[in-house]
Amino acid sequence: MNIILIGPPGAGKGTQAQKLVQSRGMVQLSTGDMLRAAKTSGTEMGKRVAEVMDRGELVTDEIVIGLIEEKLEEGSAGGFIFDGFPRTLAQADALGELLARHDTKLHTVIELVVDDTALVGRIVKRAEEAKAAGQPVRKDDTPEVFDDRLRAYYKQTAPLLGYYHAKGGLKRVDGMASMDEVAAQIAAILDA
Ligand code: B4P
């Protein structure tokens, strides 16, 4: 079973993907995590990625699609969770083609619905907790950059909701609920 988790920055896509990895043995493909790894690789590509991410903008489709393509080659018996991918219509088209090439398809697209005001609070909290624990703070986890990330979401990613709704596979969960409640709503969709 292959699923997409879609929602604005800080909606909890990564949080819920981790729960699904643990409960269902699915493989999480987080383009955010892959790009953060590329940032620290010291390569030219990594430097370009770092500049774009730190501004809260989207990395080019070509780079992101290439990263996903490599991971799909490795396969997953329990299915893939696409976490933060696709984020543009071009990425959505590419994903459809890649899955077809691997003789598989999307089962469901799950939207995590969260109020904008709650999102920025979560991001600030994450940054404060990281600082208190002496861990690195994400450069894009500031209220200023967050505004740009949210704008990028509404401009480039939110149109995908219509795209998947038209294909008939879009479901919504209340992302304002507690993490465990959100996980229960997702489980109910996947087990239906
Ligand atoms: P991502 O890493 O995907 O980051 P995100 O959207 O901020 O996070 P997510 O929704 O996963 O939130 P999380 O669970 O962590 O992207 C970062 C950047 O990478 C992008 O801005 C872009 O530059 C680049 N990028 C990534 N993918 C790309 C693509 N496909 N194309 C182009 N560029 C791409 O949760 C956030 C916080 O909320 C956590 O602290 C968590 O504990 C808390 N939280 C979660 N659920 C909660 C709940 N139910 N209640 C209360 N708090 C909750």
Side-chain angles (χ1 to χ4, degrees), residues 94-147:
L95 178 61
E97 283 166 24
L98 285 173
L99 291 174
R101 217 185 295 156
H102 286 82
D103 282 328
T104 183
K105 59 183 180 147
L106 270 180
H107 182 265
T108 315
V109 178
I110 300 176
E111 178 191 1
L112 280 74
V113 183
V114 180
D115 294 349
D116 290 353
T117 44
L119 294 170
V120 70
R122 287 183 187 183
I123 294 295
V124 168
K125 189 168 167 224
R126 174 162 67 189
E128 284 169 357
E129 284 173 354
K131 214 181 211 170
Q135 289 165 354
V137 176
R138 272 173 58 170
K139 281 202 180 143
D140 58 349
D141 272 355
T142 66
E144 297 74 29
V145 179
F146 182 79
D147 277 351

Side-chain angles (χ1 to χ4, degrees), residues 1-73:
M1 181 185 290
N2 303 309
I3 67 165
I4 293 175
L5 296 179
I6 190 167
K13 302 179 292 284
T15 303
Q16 295 303 325
Q18 270 301 311
K19 287 181 180 285
L20 289 167
V21 167
Q22 280 154 22
S23 62
R24 293 176 189 250
M26 298 173 81
V27 169
Q28 174 188 13
L29 295 186
S30 160
T31 40
D33 288 349
M34 291 177 207
L35 292 168
R36 276 185 285 279
K39 264 175 84 168
T40 54
S41 65
T43 61
E44 267 313 305
M45 191 265 257
K47 282 184 207 152
R48 285 206 310 275
V49 163
E51 283 167 17
V52 174
M53 286 180 85
D54 293 349
R55 286 200 301 268
E57 295 168 9
L58 295 188
V59 173
T60 64
D61 290 333
E62 192 192 359
I63 289 178
V64 177
I65 292 165
L67 290 171
I68 288 285
E69 195 169 5
E70 266 175 36
K71 295 288 176 184
L72 282 184
E73 296 297 333

